[in-house]
Coordinates of all heavy atoms in Angstrom, one line a residue:
D289 N -22.0 -131.6 -77.9 CA -23.0 -131.4 -76.8 C -23.7 -132.6 -76.4 O -23.8 -132.9 -75.3 CB -24.0 -130.3 -77.1 CG -23.4 -128.9 -77.2 OD1 -22.2 -128.8 -76.6 OD2 -23.9 -128.0 -77.7
R299 N -23.3 -141.0 -65.9 CA -22.8 -141.1 -64.4 C -24.0 -141.0 -63.5 O -24.0 -141.7 -62.5 CB -21.8 -139.9 -64.3 CG -20.5 -140.2 -64.9 CD -19.5 -139.2 -64.4 NE -19.8 -137.8 -64.9 CZ -19.4 -137.4 -66.1 NH1 -18.8 -138.1 -66.9 NH2 -19.7 -136.1 -66.4
A307 N -22.5 -150.7 -77.7 CA -22.7 -150.3 -79.1 C -22.1 -151.5 -80.0 O -21.1 -152.1 -79.7 CB -21.9 -149.1 -79.4
F342 N -28.8 -149.9 -75.3 CA -28.2 -150.6 -76.5 C -28.2 -149.8 -77.7 O -29.3 -149.4 -78.2 CB -29.1 -151.9 -76.6 CG -28.1 -153.0 -77.0 CD1 -27.8 -154.0 -76.1 CD2 -27.4 -153.0 -78.2 CE1 -27.0 -155.1 -76.4 CE2 -26.5 -154.1 -78.5 CZ -26.3 -155.1 -77.5
V401 N -37.3 -162.7 -80.3 CA -37.5 -163.5 -79.1 C -38.3 -164.7 -79.3 O -38.1 -165.8 -78.7 CB -37.9 -162.6 -77.9 CG1 -39.2 -162.1 -78.0 CG2 -37.6 -163.4 -76.6
I441 N -21.3 -172.9 -92.8 CA -21.1 -173.8 -91.6 C -21.3 -175.3 -92.0 O -20.5 -176.1 -91.7 CB -22.2 -173.6 -90.5 CG1 -22.0 -172.2 -89.8 CG2 -22.1 -174.6 -89.4 CD1 -23.2 -171.7 -89.0
I450 N -29.9 -178.9 -91.9 CA -31.0 -178.4 -92.8 C -31.0 -176.8 -92.5 O -31.0 -176.4 -91.2 CB -32.3 -178.9 -92.5 CG1 -32.4 -180.4 -92.8 CG2 -33.4 -178.2 -93.4 CD1 -33.6 -181.1 -92.5
A477 N -4.3 -155.6 -102.2 CA -5.4 -155.7 -101.0 C -5.8 -157.1 -100.8 O -5.9 -158.0 -101.7 CB -6.5 -154.9 -101.5
P531 N -4.2 -147.0 -88.2 CA -4.5 -145.9 -89.1 C -3.7 -145.9 -90.3 O -4.1 -145.3 -91.3 CB -4.3 -144.7 -88.1 CG -3.6 -145.1 -86.9 CD -3.7 -146.7 -86.8
I574 N -40.3 -157.5 -71.8 CA -40.5 -158.9 -72.4 C -41.2 -159.7 -71.1 O -40.8 -159.5 -70.0 CB -39.3 -159.7 -72.8 CG1 -38.5 -158.9 -73.8 CG2 -39.6 -161.1 -73.3 CD1 -37.1 -159.4 -74.2

Side-chain angles (χ1 to χ4, degrees):
D289 287 345
R299 283 192 296 274
F342 220 106
V401 67
I441 295 167
I450 298 179
I574 306 175

